[in-house]
Amino acid sequence: MSFDATRLANAATAVLRAYDPGHDLPVLRRRFGAALAELGSNENPLGPGPRALEAMRAALAEAFRYPDPRGAALKAALAARLGVDAGRITLGNGSHELLMLLAQCFADAAHSIVHAQYGFAVFPIAAAAAGAQAVVVPALPREHPAAPYGHDLEAIAAAVRRDTRIVYLANPNNPTGTWFGDAALAALLARVPQDVLVVVDEAYHEYVDAPDLGTALRFADAHPNLVVTRTFSKAYGLAGLRVGYMIGDPSVAAVLERLRESFNVNGLALAAAEAALGDAEHLQRVRAFNRGEREWLRAELAARGYTALPSQTNFLLVDLGRDAAPLERHLLERGVVVRPMGGYGLPQTLRISIGSRAENARLLEALP
C-alpha cells in the first residue's frame, strides 16, 4: 500500500484547497520580458519610496541577526501615527497571517464565522482552517447603485448567531473594489453583540478618497470587540516583504501572542515599514497617481465597451456579463496578466490592477 499523507490530514485541513496564486509569473517574465504587463496582483507600480529603500539597504548588513521579535520600533511608529497604545498592535507576515490567526485563536468547530459572499478570499479559508462553520451572507445585487456585489451589512448583522465568534468585513473590498460608509458600519456595530469580534480588513485604506469612508478605527473606543487589519503591501509598495498589522483591544492582541510565530516579520520588513510610514511625500504621490490612473483607465475601458464597478482601491473589477475566461486567455497570450474571478464565484468578471501608464496602455492595446 502506497503512502498518502492526505489521508492523515486533520478534519479542518482535509476540506481546504491550496491557495491559487494565479499564473506562473517567473515563467511569463522569461517569455515576455519587459513587455509583460502584470495587472493581476494589486501591486503598487511605483514601488517602495526612497526612505524605505534606504532603510532596506542599511538593514542588509544585519541580515545574520534575528529581527526584533516584538517589532517594538515599528509598533511605536504605528502607535504614534494612529493615536493608539502600542499594546493594541499586533504585527503579522502580511495581514493574511493576522486574519488567519484571529480565526485560529477565537473560533473552532463549536463556532460560526460570518462573512460576505464575494468577500476577501482569506475569510472562508480562515474559517475552514479553524474548523468553524462559515455563514456566507449573499452580496448586494449587481444592480445596486452604490455597491454592486458589495457587502450587505444589514443582512450580515442579521446573520450573526449565538455561536458566532467572528464577523469578517473588508472595506474597501477585494475583489469588488466596493465599500460601505462609516455610518453603515456604526449601525452594524450597534447590532452585533460585544462577545463577537468584528474584524474590518482595511488593506486598501490608503487609497480611499470617498467622503463617506474614513476608518473603522474611529469606533474602536466605543466597541472593544472591533479589530482592524492593514498592510504595507499595497500603497506602501512592500508586497515582497510581507508585513501587516492589526489594531484591537489589548486582550485580543494578548491572545494572538500565544499563537503568533516567533520572528514572524523579518528584519528588512520591519526597517522598511517603519521608514515607509514616515515617508508622507511618497504616499501622497502614490495616492495621486492611483486616483488619476484609475479614473483614466475606467474611462478608456468604458470607451471600448467594458464596464468597471465603482472602486476605492488600486484595481477595477470589470463585469463582462458573460464568461470572462476567453478574454483572460486572449490577454495572457499577448503578455497581459489580469486576474480571473471564477474562484470567487464571479466568472463573468476580471480584476485588473492599476499598473503603470505603459502597462495600462498595453492592456488597452491588447483588448479585442
Side-chain angles (χ1 to χ4, degrees):
M1 177 176 165
S2 62
F3 177 75
D4 182 7
T6 59
R7 296 184 297 106
L8 307 178
N10 62 38
T13 307
V15 300
L16 289 174
R17 290 184 299 171
Y19 173 73
D20 179 9
H23 295 292
D24 190 336
L25 289 173
V27 170
L28 292 172
R29 288 166 188 156
R30 288 194 293 270
R31 177 182 173 187
F32 292 100
L36 183 68
E38 298 187 31
L39 304 177
S41 297
N42 301 343
E43 295 155 337
N44 174 1
L46 300 187
R51 293 191 187 181
L53 290 171
E54 181 181 356
M56 280 187 271
R57 285 190 287 266
L60 280 173
E62 296 294 313
F64 69 103
R65 300 287 188 193
Y66 284 107
D68 177 5
R70 298 177 181 82
L74 178 55
K75 283 185 179 179
L78 284 166
R81 171 62 59 86
L82 301 172
V84 301
D85 187 89
R88 299 180 60 188
I89 298 172
T90 304
L91 303 179
N93 188 246
S95 53
H96 184 146
E97 180 193 24
L98 298 168
L99 294 167
M100 295 289 292
L101 272 176
L102 285 162
Q104 291 169 323
C105 289
F106 290 100
D108 55 31
H111 303 115
S112 64
I113 291 177
V114 176
H115 65 84
Q117 181 187 27
Y118 313 141
F120 186 32
V122 172
F123 300 162
I125 295 172
Q133 180 182 352
V135 178
V136 183
V137 179
L140 293 168
R142 171 64 180 87
E143 298 76 23
H144 193 278
Y149 302 135
H151 290 7
D152 185 339
L153 293 195
E154 291 188 7
I156 288 173
V160 173
R161 311 185 317 204
R162 293 185 65 179
D163 66 353
T164 299
R165 275 292 172 84
I166 297 173
V167 173
Y168 280 125
L169 308 170
N171 200 29
N173 183 50
N174 175 22
T176 62
T178 52
W179 68 98
F180 50 86
D182 292 347
L185 177 59
L188 177 138
L189 289 168
R191 294 179 61 185
V192 174
Q194 199 169 87
D195 61 354
V196 176
L197 295 180
V198 177
V199 180
V200 183
D201 183 45
E202 292 187 344
Y204 297 90
H205 167 74
E206 290 81 10
Y207 290 115
V208 168
D209 56 21
D212 63 333
L213 176 55
T215 172
L217 288 177
R218 64 181 292 193
F219 304 111
D221 289 341
H223 298 277
N225 59 321
L226 175 65
V227 176
V228 177
T229 58
R230 290 184 183 173
T231 182
F232 284 89
S233 294
K234 304 304 179 184
Y236 289 104
L238 301 179
L241 295 184
R242 309 301 299 133
V243 54
Y245 60 99
M246 181 200 83
I247 308 101
D249 187 81
S251 64
V252 175
V255 172
L256 261 62
E257 283 298 310
R258 302 174 189 177
L259 196 59
R260 181 183 64 84
E261 293 185 13
S262 303
F263 312 111
N264 62 330
V265 182
N266 69 71
L268 288 180
L270 290 172
E274 183 183 354
L277 198 64
D279 195 345
E281 182 179 348
H282 182 68
L283 181 61
Q284 187 58 37
R285 185 162 54 247
V286 167
R287 284 169 50 86
F289 170 84
N290 183 76
R291 183 186 308 113
E293 200 69 11
R294 184 182 64 208
E295 298 315 311
W296 175 82
L297 183 58
R298 180 195 304 280
E300 292 293 324
L301 288 168
R304 292 162 173 80
Y306 296 96
T307 301
L309 272 59
S311 175
Q312 282 290 289
T313 65
N314 66 338
F315 63 84
L316 293 171
L317 188 69
V318 175
D319 190 345
L320 301 178
R322 62 182 187 278
D323 183 16
L327 177 57
E328 192 267 338
R329 289 193 297 268
H330 172 91
L331 294 173
L332 184 63
E333 285 303 311
R334 288 155 180 79
V336 178
V337 180
V338 297
R339 196 65 179 264
M341 291 288 105
Y344 277 88
L346 291 166
Q348 75 280 18
T349 67
L350 293 175
R351 193 189 67 194
I352 302 174
S353 305
I354 306 304
S356 66
R357 174 56 64 94
E359 288 178 309
N360 297 333
R362 286 200 290 275
L363 162 72
L364 296 172
E365 291 168 5
L367 287 171

